[in-house]
Amino acid sequence: MKKLLFLVVILSYSLCIAAQGRKSFSVNPGKKIVEEIPITEIYKYAEFKLGEVSLRNGTAANVKLNYNSVFGEMQYIDPKNGDTLSLAEEKNIKFVVVEKDTFYFDEGWLELIGGTSTVRIAKKKLLEITNRERIGAMEVPGFAAIETYNKYTGSQHMRDLVAKEKLVFTEHISYYFGDRFNHYSRANRKGLLKLYGDSSEKIDKWIRENKIDLSNEDDLKKLSVYLQSL
């Protein structure tokens, strides 16, 4: 029993330490999300930027784009009426380029941060409601609160989302390895070494000797540089 209690205490402490490194934002009842969370935290860019959406059928479109980390969606400005909308049918999108940044979609939008022709290294940033039981605690004037969050995910009504109770949004960043077919999985040593076959032992040795943390962006960029040298 004492051993179990000790393990629970250690686990709780570890989770607390991990959470301390992440940004959190509180939204009080009656407050709009965009008034309580900095726009530069909600969006990748301070303003929508001209980018290119390339489809798998070979066509492309140039529109103003921005990634919304609350909804986890790539949004764009409709050139016809100026509304903010989200890209739909993402599986038909090959990639999105905004200035020097490239994004791929695989069960969520991933931003490329490094890699080679063999492996791509990407990250996903989300601002998640810490208590998921409160995920329906949003309302847009004139609509039922129980449906609002899902109905308005990625819509132009982002500015109208109001918290009905106190909510805490916490930053969550995760990293992924992808193959040349754009199939991504969470970044771990086993997945990486599987992609490299004959070079796996050499790579594994380098990772251990350099104490590379595959959940640290700076370390992943160092890994990317090393892989490019092979």
Side-chain angles (χ1 to χ4, degrees), residues 52-61 87-96 109:
E52 180 176 280
V53 181
S54 295
L55 303 181
R56 296 187 184 280
N57 63 9
T59 61
L87 294 179
E89 299 183 12
E90 294 96 335
K91 292 184 178 180
N92 293 327
I93 298 174
K94 190 174 182 180
F95 58 83
V96 168
W109 284 101

Side-chain angles (χ1 to χ4, degrees), residues 25 37 41-42 69-70 125-129 169-171:
F25 305 93
I37 304 178
E41 296 294 340
I42 295 174
S69 59
V70 171
K125 175 185 174 181
L126 294 171
L127 283 177
E128 299 179 329
I129 296 177
F169 289 80
T170 302
E171 179 187 62

Side-chain angles (χ1 to χ4, degrees), residues 44-45 52 74 94-105 109-114 120-123 182 184:
K44 166 71 176 175
Y45 311 105
E52 180 176 280
M74 188 66 68
K94 190 174 182 180
F95 58 83
V96 168
V97 174
V98 182
E99 295 191 332
K100 295 181 179 180
D101 301 321
T102 302
F103 301 84
Y104 295 93
F105 185 86
W109 284 101
L110 306 170
E111 179 186 352
L112 190 68
I113 62 172
R120 288 171 175 162
I121 305 174
K123 74 174 181 179
N182 287 329
Y184 287 84

Side-chain angles (χ1 to χ4, degrees), residues 102-153:
T102 302
F103 301 84
Y104 295 93
F105 185 86
D106 187 9
E107 298 183 3
W109 284 101
L110 306 170
E111 179 186 352
L112 190 68
I113 62 172
T116 67
S117 58
T118 302
V119 62
R120 288 171 175 162
I121 305 174
K123 74 174 181 179
K124 179 193 293 184
K125 175 185 174 181
L126 294 171
L127 283 177
E128 299 179 329
I129 296 177
T130 303
N131 185 347
R132 289 191 173 277
E133 292 180 1
R134 296 179 177 178
I135 202 164
M138 305 281 189
E139 67 174 359
V140 176
F143 293 88
I146 195 170
E147 299 179 42
T148 298
Y149 189 85
N150 290 330
K151 177 179 283 188
Y152 282 89
T153 291

Side-chain angles (χ1 to χ4, degrees), residues 39-96:
I39 199 71
T40 51
E41 296 294 340
I42 295 174
Y43 285 104
K44 166 71 176 175
Y45 311 105
E47 59 184 21
F48 280 67
K49 295 179 177 291
L50 186 63
E52 180 176 280
V53 181
S54 295
L55 303 181
R56 296 187 184 280
N57 63 9
T59 61
N62 294 311
V63 290
K64 288 187 175 181
L65 297 154
N66 214 338
Y67 173 72
N68 185 317
S69 59
V70 171
F71 295 146
E73 297 183 347
M74 188 66 68
Q75 299 186 318
Y76 69 98
I77 302 296
D78 188 336
K80 295 180 180 179
N81 53 33
D83 285 344
T84 302
L85 305 172
S86 290
L87 294 179
E89 299 183 12
E90 294 96 335
K91 292 184 178 180
N92 293 327
I93 298 174
K94 190 174 182 180
F95 58 83
V96 168

